[in-house]
Amino acid sequence: MLRSLISGLVLAFAGSRANISRTILSCAGIVVGVGALIAVVTAGHVGQTYAKVYGEANTGVAATYEVTAPAPVEDVAAFEEDMLRAGGQAVALQQSLDSAGIQLRQGTSVFKDATVFYTDPALSDIRRMNLVEGRWFTEADKGSLAPVVVLSENLTERLDPSGGYADLQIGNSEWLRARVVGVVEGTAMDDWGGSGTVYLMRSPSTEEMAFPAGIGAADEMGMGLTYRVRMPPDGSPGEEEFTERLAGTSWRWGPQADTEMLIVYRADSFEEIEEVLGYLSLGLFGIAGITLTTGMLGVLNVGLVTVRERRRELATYRALGADRFAMFVVVVSEAVVVSVVAGLIALLGCYGIAGGVQAFVGDALPEGVSVTVPLQGVLVGLGSAAAVGLLAGVIPAWRALRTSVVAGLRE
């Protein structure tokens, strides 16, 4: 059987080389169909990666809850500890301080419109903080006497970076010299007005600036403290169960707080985006499948014509001792060879197009996102090409086996 298979493959390659024009014509439809499939897989991969990176930079990794505490919280440390006990894996304060009137000043220029967030070092464990330069906060920064800040990239474009922002000040009732330790890419979630974002490190030296009445009495637009909580990737416990667990311990952190005002919801939207991308990919796969089916019919038609024209040749092989299995392999393999060659052409074309797109828009894509053909695109493309060739070769092979050897030799 192995000998018949090898001899059949050898004859198939010889037949394909002998009919170059037919091989090229057969390739055309397969190239378009396989190229469409690879393009769909590539687009889906890029879209999924972009959605993941965008979501992690704006809202947090999967799964992230946003928790708004009901005021007043008498023991903030107990509240944060109870969020971990309720199922959280990391907790970080992410409090907007717009209403506190905190501003930046550099020289004679005052920047009143920058968004200021009061946050913890743990935020980098929950959100993707893409650093342009410097670093994110560390626990060691809590001992700094100067306010420690990280600026967004679009805010730094409005500042004079000479001297490492040594003359930058922050404050409300009084100005304090800020210590800039890093610059991050701006995000759509934080930079609402497009004026830039300041991440102010939570520390004993900045707490009075951020919350003049005390952190436990935070009342931003009628709401309490706002946190980001990283949960297990499967999102368990759910919002309701997490809320019940947390509210059940309110006696520790806020016996006077109205726990019905405790707001918990899942902030990351990666699952919803992935579902939409899945439906879109199914539709595109359907279109690519129709195109590939058309290409398969073309290969099938060419295979039938080839078998009819080569009846004498095939009969001669049979007369010289080739068995039926070897002849079946000959005809089927020719279709498979044609389809795989077409698949390789389509794959090379997709790599070239992806490289061109990456060179054109690569600088505009966020860190971690690139336009490239993924491994699954290669496997889907070449696998579908081989499958189409196999399906397209069965009918011609079956017809070739039914041809009489004697009738074939008489032609």
Side-chain angles (χ1 to χ4, degrees):
M1 182 177 179
L2 180 61
R3 182 178 179 182
S4 298
L5 180 61
I6 295 174
S7 61
L9 290 173
V10 171
L11 291 174
F13 275 101
S16 298
R17 293 176 59 190
N19 297 279
I20 297 297
S21 59
R22 286 201 188 103
T23 301
I24 294 175
L25 290 174
S26 302
C27 281
I30 303 297
V31 168
V32 175
V34 172
L37 281 178
I38 296 175
V40 169
V41 174
T42 301
H45 173 74
V46 174
Q48 187 178 47
T49 305
Y50 183 88
K52 182 175 185 292
V53 170
Y54 182 86
E56 288 180 351
N58 283 275
T59 56
V61 300
T64 297
Y65 289 173
E66 181 171 303
V67 179
T68 302
V73 176
E74 296 180 6
D75 190 337
V76 174
F79 180 70
E80 295 171 355
E81 183 180 343
D82 286 343
M83 283 190 284
L84 294 173
R85 289 180 174 179
Q89 295 182 330
V91 174
L93 183 67
Q94 184 175 295
Q95 185 75 25
S96 172
L97 299 179
D98 291 342
S99 65
I102 296 181
Q103 303 171 359
L104 289 180
R105 183 174 72 176
Q106 188 179 45
T108 58
S109 300
V110 178
F111 303 90
K112 300 179 180 180
D113 52 356
T115 303
V116 182
F117 279 95
Y118 196 54
T119 189
D120 297 307
L123 186 63
S124 63
D125 295 329
I126 302 171
R127 284 180 50 190
R128 178 191 290 265
M129 310 304 294
N130 295 318
L131 288 163
V132 177
E133 61 179 88
R135 60 175 176 81
W136 184 249
F137 305 122
T138 65
E139 290 295 329
D141 291 327
K142 290 185 176 180
S144 175
L145 298 180
V148 183
V149 299
V150 171
L151 308 176
S152 66
E153 186 177 16
N154 47 355
L155 176 59
T156 61
E157 294 174 355
R158 305 169 59 198
L159 302 174
D160 180 6
S162 59
Y165 309 105
D167 58 342
L168 187 66
Q169 296 178 315
I170 188 171
N172 40 29
S173 58
E174 62 176 330
W175 294 101
L176 298 176
R177 189 177 299 278
R179 179 168 155 245
V180 181
V181 296
V183 177
V184 297
E185 292 182 357
T187 65
M189 180 64 69
D190 296 341
D191 190 16
W192 302 314
S195 303
T197 304
V198 181
Y199 295 97
L200 176 61
M201 168 76 177
R202 177 183 176 185
S203 67
S205 63
T206 58
E207 189 167 300
E208 185 176 353
M209 177 197 301
F211 302 102
I215 188 171
D219 192 17
E220 181 71 16
M221 297 178 64
M223 306 299 289
L225 295 171
T226 302
Y227 288 87
R228 283 283 193 271
V229 183
R230 175 167 57 82
M231 307 299 293
D234 61 356
S236 62
E239 294 98 320
E240 292 186 4
E241 183 179 356
F242 181 84
T243 304
E244 291 176 359
R245 291 181 183 181
L246 191 56
T249 60
S250 62
W251 58 272
R252 281 176 25 93
W253 45 266
Q256 304 300 320
D258 182 4
T259 55
E260 292 185 0
M261 297 299 294
L262 177 63
I263 301 174
V264 178
Y265 72 92
R266 183 159 178 170
D268 66 284
S269 56
F270 177 67
E271 287 186 347
E272 290 78 5
I273 297 176
E274 191 175 40
E275 184 177 357
V276 172
L277 289 174
Y279 288 129
L280 181 61
S281 295
L282 286 177
L284 295 176
F285 267 121
I287 297 173
I290 293 173
T291 307
L292 192 58
T293 301
T294 304
M296 181 185 70
L297 294 176
V299 175
L300 173 60
N301 184 53
V302 172
L304 290 172
V305 173
T306 301
V307 167
R308 185 180 305 147
E309 292 181 353
R310 295 176 62 194
R311 279 187 296 183
R312 181 178 177 82
E313 178 187 346
L314 297 174
T316 301
Y317 289 148
R318 290 287 307 279
L320 292 176
D323 57 23
R324 296 174 66 88
F325 179 74
M327 300 315 302
F328 182 86
V329 171
V330 168
V331 180
V332 172
S333 296
E334 283 191 26
V336 173
V337 167
V338 168
S339 297
V340 171
V341 169
L344 289 172
I345 295 173
L347 181 61
L348 292 175
C350 288
Y351 268 115
I353 294 173
V357 173
Q358 173 64 25
F360 186 71
V361 303
D363 293 339
L365 295 175
E367 182 181 350
V369 180
S370 61
V371 182
T372 183
V373 178
L375 177 60
Q376 56 265 38
V378 177
L379 297 178
V380 168
L382 296 183
S384 61
V388 164
L390 183 63
L391 293 174
V394 169
I395 294 177
W398 175 73
R399 177 166 292 186
L401 294 181
R402 293 185 59 191
T403 303
S404 169
V405 177
V406 175
L409 291 175
R410 284 177 179 176
E411 293 187 3

